[in-house]
Amino acid sequence: GRMKGTITRHGEVFAIDCFSMRDTSFGAREYESLARGGYFWGIAEGSSFHALCMGAGREAKCIGGYIMQDGTMASLVSGQRKVLEFGQFGPSKVAFEGTDTLGRRIQATGTIDPGLVFTGYTDHTVVWSLTHWDWDGVTHWGDNQEFSPAEPFRQMARGEIALGGRP
């Protein structure tokens, strides 16, 4: 969707005119089986994508998502995300490629802001980040939610294991 309006903070008014998206997936969540991965999306005028990629280390397999292009949406049937660079608490630059049920391919690179460390779950830590995507030369804005079991995240934050490392 498109969000328009204003936000006022401490008397300063900020104009808002941007796209926003939520995947609206529903159903039971079995968080213990989710281990590690990234949940991310990008949106621009006329196109968007969403993906969930699971795996520790630099490569994660796409297990779901979609491509919306030329007015047609189709589910992803394959894909992977590769971490090109790590930041302090997760990926800072990634490459994503995938194929949908119509045979369309996406190859996009994302630059991920440092983000917000969210510790609201008892067993997982999530780093929510603004992400700038380049998909065929078109800027797509979105977010990246990088998730990890809480204990390995704490070990990584303390410097006991390297980013992308396995406990």
Side-chain angles (χ1 to χ4, degrees):
R2 185 100 189 214
M3 296 177 19
K4 292 184 179 186
T6 60
I7 294 176
T8 303
R9 181 176 183 270
H10 300 301
E12 186 175 359
V13 178
F14 298 89
I16 305 297
D17 183 0
C18 65
F19 297 106
S20 184
M21 186 187 85
R22 186 71 184 150
D23 78 328
T24 66
S25 66
F26 300 96
R29 301 291 200 260
E30 179 55 54
Y31 288 107
E32 287 188 31
S33 68
L34 289 179
R36 297 181 187 192
Y39 167 101
F40 52 90
W41 55 269
I43 190 168
E45 184 79 44
S47 61
S48 65
F49 66 94
H50 165 262
L52 173 60
C53 293
M54 302 295 300
R58 290 193 177 268
E59 294 186 11
K61 180 182 176 184
C62 180
I63 64 167
Y66 75 84
I67 294 173
M68 170 69 126
Q69 197 173 34
D70 301 322
T72 302
M73 180 184 294
S75 295
L76 288 166
V77 293
S78 66
Q80 75 172 4
R81 182 192 72 169
K82 291 183 182 179
V83 176
L84 304 176
E85 295 176 20
F86 282 105
Q88 183 178 9
F89 294 122
S92 61
K93 189 167 280 203
V94 296
F96 173 67
E97 59 181 50
T99 304
D100 70 12
T101 57
L102 301 176
R104 299 178 301 181
R105 294 189 38 81
I106 179 174
Q107 291 184 319
T109 54
T111 302
I112 303 170
D113 282 355
L116 167 75
V117 177
F118 178 73
T119 57
Y121 301 113
T122 58
D123 58 351
H124 274 72
T125 301
V126 180
V127 180
W128 267 301
S129 304
L130 175 67
T131 305
H132 172 265
W133 290 97
D134 180 331
W135 177 15
D136 289 337
V138 177
T139 293
H140 288 68
W141 289 100
D143 86 23
N144 184 74
Q145 297 175 30
E146 200 66 26
F147 51 91
S148 171
E151 182 54 30
F153 182 87
R154 287 191 289 271
Q155 290 174 320
M156 181 272 306
R158 290 189 301 258
E160 296 170 4
I161 59 174
L163 274 168
R166 296 181 181 153

